[in-house]
Amino acid sequence: KEYGITDIGMNLFHLPDIITDYFGNGEKKGIKLTFRKEEILLGTSGAINQFRDWIDKEDFLVVYGDNYFHLDYNNLFDRFDKTPESIATVCLQHSKVLTGKGLVVINRNGAITAFVEKPEHPEKYCTDLINAGIYCMKNKILEYIPQGVFSDYSKDIFPALLKYNQIMSSYIIKEPLTDIGTIE
C-alpha cells in the first residue's frame, strides 16, 4: 500500500484459512485482496494461471510469500519502466551462500543471460547473484506459462524465455531479504 499497490492477489495452499481470516478482504487496511486456493501445487509459475482473469491485460508483480523483506518498489518499477524491451524485471541479490539457491548470470547491461536453479556445484557459474523471488512482468509472459500443469519460474519459464530470445532485465536489491520458507 505504501507504494500504491492496492489490488493484491494471494495464492494460498497450506492453512489458507489462517490468512483469509486474518486479512479478510483487505478493506480494513485500505486494499483489495483477492484469494485463490490451490488444491494441488502447480509451482511458482503454474499458480499464476488461477489469476489470469484477475490480471486480464495488465502487467503485474509477483512476490514469493516465503521471503521477509522491505523493498523500495518505486526503484523496481522505475527499472521495469526503463526496460520496455524486457518481458520481465527480476530482482536479484548478491549472496555469500550459493548452495541451495537459484543462481542468475547477467551481462554488463544487466540483462539476464542464464538461470540455474539450485545447482550441485554453484561455484562453476561465476556469479554470486541469486533469485530473490520478486518479479515485475509484462502480461505477455502468460503466453509462455502452460496451463493446467506444474511449472516453476526459475526451472521452467525463465530458462525457456532465454531460449526464445526474450529479454529479461535484472534489478539488484540492496535491502536485506530473508528466506523464511523453512524452519531452519
Side-chain angles (χ1 to χ4, degrees), residues 63-74:
V63 178
Y64 289 5
D66 59 355
N67 288 332
Y68 179 75
F69 64 96
H70 185 86
L71 179 69
D72 184 340
Y73 285 103
N74 288 333

Side-chain angles (χ1 to χ4, degrees), residues 151-168:
S151 67
D152 182 272
Y153 285 114
S154 297
K155 291 179 188 172
D156 305 312
I157 305 307
F158 292 155
L161 290 171
L162 291 173
K163 286 181 185 173
Y164 290 117
N165 296 316
Q166 292 293 320
I167 297 169
M168 291 181 288

